[in-house]
Structure formats: structure tokens, C-alpha cells
């Protein structure tokens, strides 16, 4: 009838992006290597986070495949805006030398990974 009707829609984006930090390599004596890692839930939703960690002998080597020195994975639940500190241990480093400890994490509902790398001498 010649009137304009405007409709408003409101929505809230809910997500759980991760942030990952390797705070230090606490044990560098072979064959067991341990790293202190912090995973932050930077989002607005509580979530389970999947994390993958490895030791490789080249900075360009990614976790996964058949060329890791050693690797592991796990899941942890983190509330929105909170974080968790983990002590991650790998125990199959065969010889002394220069290595890279790598960690990546993402919320189960997310597709993007957050990652951190730290070089160390075993």
C-alpha cells in the first residue's frame, strides 16, 4: 500500500580460533625431549582443541608424513578466552643434533591451524 517495511536481522558470530606458543624446551637430553606449550582459545566459544606436535630435523619439514623424527597428538577442552599449559614429551630422538619442535592446534569446529616452532640442540 505504498509503505516501506524494513526488516532488521541481528546475529552473533561464534568461533574459537587458537593461538599457540612454545614457551621453552624443558628437557633436551636424548632420547626424551619435552616442551612447555601454551594453547589459547582466542574466541567466543568453549571448544575441544586438537593439537599435533612433532620433532623434525629441518625447519621446512611439516608435522606429518613419514619423515618426522617423532610425533604425537591429543585433544584438550579450553573455555572461551582462556588457555591451557601443556608439557609435551617425545621419546624417540635417536642422536644429538639440531632439531625443531613444532606444534599446531585448532578448535574441532575450525579449519585454520595456529602453529609454533622452536629450534633446539639436543
Amino acid at each position: 500500500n505504498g509503505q516501506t517495511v524494513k526488516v532488521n536481522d541481528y546475529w552473533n558470530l561464534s568461533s574459537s580460533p587458537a593461538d599457540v606458543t612454545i614457551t621453552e624446551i624443558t628437557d633436551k637430553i636424548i632420547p626424551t625431549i619435552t616442551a612447555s606449550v601454551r594453547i589459547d582459545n582466542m574466541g567466543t566459544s568453549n571448544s575441544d582443541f586438537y593439537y599435533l606436535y612433532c620433532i623434525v630435523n629441518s625447519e621446512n619439514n611439516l608435522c606429518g608424513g613419514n619423515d618426522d623424527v617423532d610425533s604425537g597428538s591429543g585433544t584438550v577442552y579450553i573455555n572461551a578466552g582462556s588457555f591451557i599449559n601443556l608439557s609435551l614429551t617425545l621419546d624417540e630422538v635417536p642422536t644429538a643434533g639440531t632439531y625443531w619442535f613444532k606444534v599446531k592446534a585448532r578448535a574441532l569446529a575450525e579449519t585454520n591451524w595456529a602453529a609454533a616452532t622452536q629450534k633446539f640442540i639436543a
Side-chain angles (χ1 to χ4, degrees):
N1 295 339
Q3 295 180 353
T4 302
V5 177
K6 294 185 179 182
V7 178
N8 290 321
D9 231 354
Y10 296 97
W11 50 274
N12 184 22
L13 179 61
S14 177
S15 67
S16 301
D19 188 31
V20 179
T21 306
I22 299 172
T23 53
E24 83 177 291
I25 307 295
T26 57
D27 180 0
K28 301 176 188 175
I29 300 172
I30 60 171
T32 303
I33 306 298
T34 302
S36 291
V37 174
R38 176 177 162 152
I39 301 174
D40 288 81
N41 179 347
M42 304 299 288
T44 57
S45 298
N46 302 338
S47 181
D48 283 307
F49 282 76
Y50 174 67
Y51 59 91
L52 177 64
Y53 56 105
C54 68
I55 294 175
V56 293
N57 55 17
S58 166
E59 184 175 11
N60 296 328
N61 188 349
L62 303 175
C63 286
N66 296 324
D67 56 355
D68 296 345
V69 174
D70 199 3
S71 64
S73 64
T75 58
V76 64
Y77 187 81
I78 307 173
N79 291 323
S82 192
F83 66 90
I84 190 161
N85 290 310
L86 301 171
S87 181
L88 303 177
T89 300
L90 295 168
D91 59 4
E92 295 183 16
V93 178
T95 58
T98 300
Y99 296 96
W100 286 261
F101 200 106
K102 296 188 173 203
V103 181
K104 64 181 185 176
R106 68 173 175 83
L108 294 182
E110 298 287 328
T111 56
N112 294 325
W113 292 87
T117 301
Q118 186 163 331
K119 182 179 177 180
F120 68 96
I121 298 173

